[in-house]
Amino acid sequence: MTIYFPAAFPLACALLAAALGKFMPRAAKFLAFAGTSLAFIGLITLNNFSNIINNAPDTAALTIACFIALYGILASLWAAQEEESPLFYFNILLSTAFAVGAVITDNLLAMLFFWEGLLITLYLFLMPYNKDTALKAFLINAAGDIVLLAGICLFYANSHSLLYVSLIGDNFWAFALIFCGAAAKAGAFPFHSWIAPAAKDAPFAFLAMMPAAFEKLLAIFLLGRIFIVLFPVPPDMARVFACIIGAITVIVSAARMLVFKDLRGLLAWAVVMQIGLFITALGARLITETDISYILNHGIFKAALLACAFFTAGALNKACGGNDIAALRGAAKTDILLFAALLICALGLAGVSIVDIIFIPNAALIDCYDAMPMLAAVPAAAALSALFAFGKVLLAMLHKTHKIARPAGLQKAIALAAFAPVLFFTFGLEFSAEHLFLPHFSGVHTGAVSVICIVLLLAGLLLAAKVKQPVYEFKYDTYDRAKAAISFCADILFMVDRVMDKLFDYLPSQVVKNLARGLSQAHRGNTPQYIIWAVAGIAVFIILAWGGLK
Amino acid sequence: MFDINGIILVSVLFPFVGSVLAVIANRLGGDSGKTALYCAGLTFILSLLALHYTSRGYAGGFILSMPMGMDLRLVGDLMGAYMACASSFLSFIIMYYSQGYITEGPYKTEFYAVAMLFLGAMTGLVYSVNLIWLFVFWEITAVCSWRLVGYFRAPNDVLKANKTFIITVFGALFLLLAAVAIADDAGTLDLTQLRGAHISLAATAFIILAAFSKSAVFPFSCWLPDAGVAPSPVTALLHAAVLVKIGVFAFARIFSYIPLDPDMAQLVMYVAGISSLIAGAAALKETNIKRIIAYSTISQLGFIFLGIAAGGFMGMGGALLFMLMHGAAKGGLFLCAGIIEHKTHTKDITQMGGLAKVLPVTAFAFAFCALSVMGIPPFGGFFSKFMVFAGAARTAPWPVMAIFAGAAALTLAYLSRAFYIIFIAAGPKEYQKDGHEAPRQMLISVVVLAVISLLLGVFSYVPLGYIAEIFGGAL
Amino acid sequence: MLMSAAFFIVIPLAAAAVCAFFNKKQTAPAVLANIVLACGLLLSLTTFSDNLGQDWFYGQAVLSSFMTIIIYLVSSAVAFFAAFAASTKRRGSYFAMLLVITAGMAGVVNAADFFTLYVYLEVVSVCSYALISFYNRPRSTEGAIRYFYLSSIASAILLFSISLLMVYAGGTSYEVLTAKILATQGSPAPLNIILGIMALAFMIKAGLFPFHSWTPDAYESATSPVSALLAGIVTKVVGTYALMVVCMLLSIINFGIANNPVGRAVMWFGLASIIFGALNAQEQKDFKRMLAYSSISQMGYITIAAALATPLAMAGALFHMFNHATFKALLFFAAGSVKRATGSTEIDSMSGLQAKMPYTAGAATVAMLSTAGVPPFSGFWSKLFIIAALWQAGFYGMAAAALFASVLTLAYFLKLQRGMFFGKPSDNIKDVRERGAGFLIPCFVFAFIIIAAGLYFPFIYDNFLSPFIRVLQ
């Protein structure tokens, strides 16, 4: 049980916040910061003592957990400027506790326990802002979790153990279900439709924390576990399966990104796109070779990018009074740092490798091309779409204007703090599986494909292609479709139950009633009738008895 | 130290005595309700003691010899003590709730007397290992359910009570026939002597039919939604917490001694799966709050049957855990429904809406209990659902798994829908928030059950420890 | 044995003569009848064990003694009830009749030969006609006449078979008969025929389907004490007791049910009665008529078990006879109380009687549940024995049918409960109250017996039934 102590701190603080929140709101804020910080410190400590504690998590898990705690700290600091409700801080603490717990635990059941526990915090986060969206988010994530549950149960059935053991042999369904469950949390198709509506109403602290950082990190963690530990030899269909899901996700999100209305929506679809890209690259890499230990770095980088982007957007929102293009005009002049941060995040999200110095993200394109030339279109489309959308925003920000900015204050600082990991990664920081925080620098790399992308981008911007309307018309929400389908099936099944109920009510009593009525007709008080019955009875008796006597 | 034999015997006898005491107390001018409450409390304490002793390895029981092998045999083993604890605890909470719900009325004494009879019969049933006496206690609970469901005495209520009685008796007679057949084949009615014996396919089928009728599996489930005409504590007691568990428990008990034929097990899984699915669909479409929760019960009972049919430690253990978690959570849901009905004087959810402001405590309790039923951690229902699924993944064919996954999804859907329509969304009527949400006993009961649902999840190692000991297995 | 049997027959007769003299007195005949019958009950209980071991054929002594106990139990309860319920001026004649019929029944069960049995049977029948039509109402006279017609046919057939027996075996006593059985072990056919004809007569007397037609009219039109007596004990003694004797003999002759075609035929009639009685009771609008059909159904159970004639079946039949006596008598007493309190026994005319007459309703509920075979009441155990016996003998279908007829039984009783007792009190019973201790005490006594025998059936089993079984084996 000792390995859970980093998660125990935020949990305890959550309970305290729940108890004290009504009386001392500021205590909740303080507790949020304290709890998440303690989690972070606890994780570092755990790493130092990992050789003497049983079942300690490995470095990869610890790294991810540290980042989770880090973003928890940043989110609580951010929210301290805006949110007053103690429920929000309770949620932050509880989410941090559960997310950290999910990552550092050593068995699948506990991991699932913490993983699913996030459903409640997700709902509680969104509930004060929009109840419908909260319900939608809850149901979609819960459905994804059922898939994960089924997968883990199948895994257990084949491996007879709930620990992280390896399963050899072709277990496609166990793999597929766990894979889908992991991806579903991060927003892969078809579990993606809650993120955009949530982004409309929820505060930036939540957005930076949950969809961007936590869920990505958790998904990466579990995907890593799947490919490295659970299924060291992935089933044959695995790679194709991953590519297909990734590709669909990317295409859907890329299309929706092009028609964004404000920075929130844009970033929401960026979140979906990243997980799609990630999965596609994973699947592609598997086709060509089987070494995927870079997952850790790639994933954390992307999560950091998204979180930073959201924080930056939030700071811009505060500074400019809004985050649609109109509000953001001229922001670059007033706040060059935020603009630079957003620029680098955008380029990173698009996978452009001029600025993004690490070898890895560009490799996505190359991997896909190597796996199947057509597949390269996927990352290319993603890059194009991201560049186009972000490009519009950035260009808007570069406009001349005399707008007076409101100071963003601490939030700007936080955004920049979030930017720090991005920068480190950009300059080649890499985590290795053995040591925590031991960076080394890789070289600079440019890719021809990236140059082509930028050229195409400029061309597109200049031509100002009108792709808006049809894409916007294409509203395909799996949630609504699923609701309609379930409702239809439920009608049919309900009818079956009603029919059976009527049958039970009607049939026995009618049969018996009719029989009884018929029989009592024979006893109308008519004495000769009685005698006839008796005589008939005597006759039957004689026949029965005589037949036997013969 | 108390003697385990004495504890078992007294915990079975005492509620029967309590039933008589309740009547006498009423005659002497006292309160039959409080008598029943103390009696239920004492039974719970005794069951806890039994649990404590049996988990330490003490074995015991009570035997009353009767001719022709129909001895009354009560065996105090951990499985029985576990179930007795669960049932008596839930009965105690529900009796406390009734203090606020059934305050006056001409049939109050009969209510409490019959409820105590029911508790006694249930406790006798969980300890019985003789098939005939299993049947005797089974039928006593049926008689009690008849009187309790028809409490309000309106013609329609009595009609539904009769339906309940007749359908469950019809099923129970199959159990009797099975007992007669087993006695003829194997020469004994005692389960402990039948360990490992093989019984005829007909007898297995009869036992399954009996369990299906008592535990409301489609198509024998149509009595359960109709029994919603009963008062809320009755529905909670009978149709959520205790009575419907009789069928599954007896099924688990019998087939923990006698091996279950694998083909029959698969048949049970399929029928339970279809029942779960249909009931889930019905709950999604219904507009009467008690019927929704009743259909939910039918759906969840399908999961318990899946666990038992799947067998193994995960399956059977999961099923037993499910009985506990579901009893607490579903009981809580029905009791909340009672509070809602008390406030809004209707059972139609289309007439309700926005009740979260008016009934905050109830909303919170409903949410907790609903989350447990849905199987969301950190509530207790998560562990039971996981164990049942894990156990089933080993032996169940994949269509069964798919059906039950669908039923789990439906659970999410209908409970969210119910919670949403009743508490969150705005309804046609505005309800005034007055200081008095509900009588104190009713509120405390639902809060206790909601908190228990959470605690059972967080401290799940406690019941899991007992279950591991029952089946001698490990995770 | 003869000594004590004489007591059971002669003393009631003497008391009857005394009662007849005090025709117009209100209390004296009632008191005398009650005292005599109560003493008879005590005597029969205490001398039960003395009578074991003196059999003419297997188990007959135990059977007679136990039947005597049941007879006196029901008769004394009826006498007690009638002391309060009988609203006639001619009390002396009434109680005299009661005493004579008791004496007659005691004679039937203690008879050691068929002709004596026939004589006492006629005594019982004549008294029954008189009691049914005691109040000179048109309906009851009609009921009595229908009973008379069918009963006469039965008596004629019985006399015919007795004469055949006389010719074939040279005598009608059990002694002669057993000797003849031993002598003709190879060719049982003539004895089968004779006993078959006798069984037919007794089936008519018992009111089995399809000879049952007189039963509903007679029970409905007679007053409650008389109906209780008839349904509770008279039809049992003249019908099923005698049928049991005949079936035991048939079983001995044919070495079991396998080669016993007459027995099997009787079993079919029993099964038909069970189902027919239960079905017909569903649609009845009158409490007593429903009870009549219920009686037909329960008689069917006794018959099917008696005809099977294995030791377990015989124990079941005997136990069920005892149980049926208690619960049917209780139900007719309850009907009488209801009639007296509300003026009618129509099921639809009132509802929610439990609120006004809780004790009567409670006792009636106990009896109804026992009839339906619901544990923990005594009716369950006797039905269980019967079903188990049928199953063990290989009659699986019959066992299942007899078992599921319990659902039908439950159904009509639940209908009765819903219509009469278990509901909201209707307006027309606002002023109804319990009728007083005299109506309730017999109900309670029987309810106590039902519950006690149900909770601890070994009390009945060990004391009364297992001697019977032991001897049979």
Side-chain angles (χ1 to χ4, degrees), chain A residues 63-80:
Chain A
T63 317
I64 293 183
C66 283
F67 270 93
I68 290 178
L70 180 67
Y71 285 110
I73 298 176
L74 286 174
S76 60
L77 279 176
W78 178 286

Side-chain angles (χ1 to χ4, degrees), chain B residues 114-354:
Chain B
V114 174
M116 283 298 105
L117 269 178
F118 177 76
L119 180 60
M122 183 69 191
T123 319
L125 192 143
V126 302
Y127 289 123
S128 290
V129 289
N130 181 299
L131 286 169
I132 292 290
W133 280 92
L134 195 73
F135 175 80
V136 170
F137 288 121
W138 184 302
E139 288 288 278
I140 297 179
T141 60
V143 175
C144 294
S145 73
W146 169 57
R147 292 311 285 197
L148 287 173
V149 170
Y151 175 80
F152 289 122
R153 305 281 200 280
N156 188 46
D157 299 341
V158 180
L159 198 65
K160 300 304 176 194
N162 291 350
K163 183 174 177 177
T164 304
F165 198 12
I166 290 183
I167 295 182
T168 47
V169 164
F170 176 72
L173 288 178
F174 282 109
L175 179 65
L176 189 61
L177 211 53
V180 169
I182 292 177
D184 199 31
D185 288 334
T188 173
L189 284 164
D190 192 346
L191 280 174
T192 52
Q193 287 171 3
L194 283 169
R195 199 184 281 278
H198 282 274
I199 59 175
S200 64
L201 214 59
T204 312
F206 290 156
I207 296 176
I208 291 173
L209 278 170
F212 277 2
S213 87
K214 194 73 163 183
S215 287
V217 172
F218 186 84
F220 296 109
S221 55
C222 45
W223 61 270
L224 190 50
D226 285 342
V229 296
S232 288
V234 170
T235 4
L237 189 63
L238 265 44
H239 308 127
V242 189
L243 184 104
V244 294
K245 303 292 189 304
I246 288 178
V248 278
F249 182 78
F251 187 61
R253 182 61 113 176
I254 293 176
F255 291 110
S256 64
Y257 286 98
I258 298 174
L260 179 61
D261 182 46
D263 294 327
M264 278 298 185
Q266 279 219 352
L267 184 68
V268 168
M269 285 190 216
Y270 274 106
V271 176
I274 294 174
S275 168
S276 258
L277 212 56
I278 292 183
L284 198 56
K285 290 281 147 190
E286 274 279 355
T287 53
N288 177 320
I289 183 176
K290 286 181 103 174
R291 286 183 77 96
I292 293 177
I293 306 178
Y295 277 116
S296 172
T297 306
I298 299 174
S299 191
Q300 301 305 307
L301 286 168
F303 282 92
I304 306 183
F305 272 110
L306 175 70
I308 301 176
F313 168 70
M314 278 295 209
M316 285 279 244
L320 269 186
L321 192 67
F322 211 112
M323 288 187 218
L324 174 63
M325 303 295 186
H326 177 251
K330 199 47 70 66
L333 283 178
F334 271 117
L335 295 184
C336 287
I339 296 181
I340 295 170
E341 196 194 347
H342 180 86
K343 186 66 147 184
T344 61
H345 303 291
T346 174
K347 287 192 190 130
D348 186 353
I349 61 174
T350 56
Q351 301 296 316
M352 306 177 195

Side-chain angles (χ1 to χ4, degrees), chain C residues 16-41:
Chain C
V18 172
C19 280
F21 273 119
F22 299 101
N23 201 0
K24 301 291 184 186
K25 288 266 198 290
Q26 290 302 305
T27 49
V31 170
L32 182 61
N34 274 302
I35 292 178
V36 167
L37 290 172
C39 289
L41 179 61

Side-chain angles (χ1 to χ4, degrees), chain A residues 512-513 516 523 525 527 530 534, chain C residues 146 211-213 217 279 282-283:
Chain A
V512 167
K513 203 185 283 209
H523 298 86
T527 312
Y530 293 179
Chain C
R146 297 220 178 96
F211 317 110
H212 63 283
S213 335
D217 296 329
L279 276 178
Q282 305 285 341
E283 284 299 303

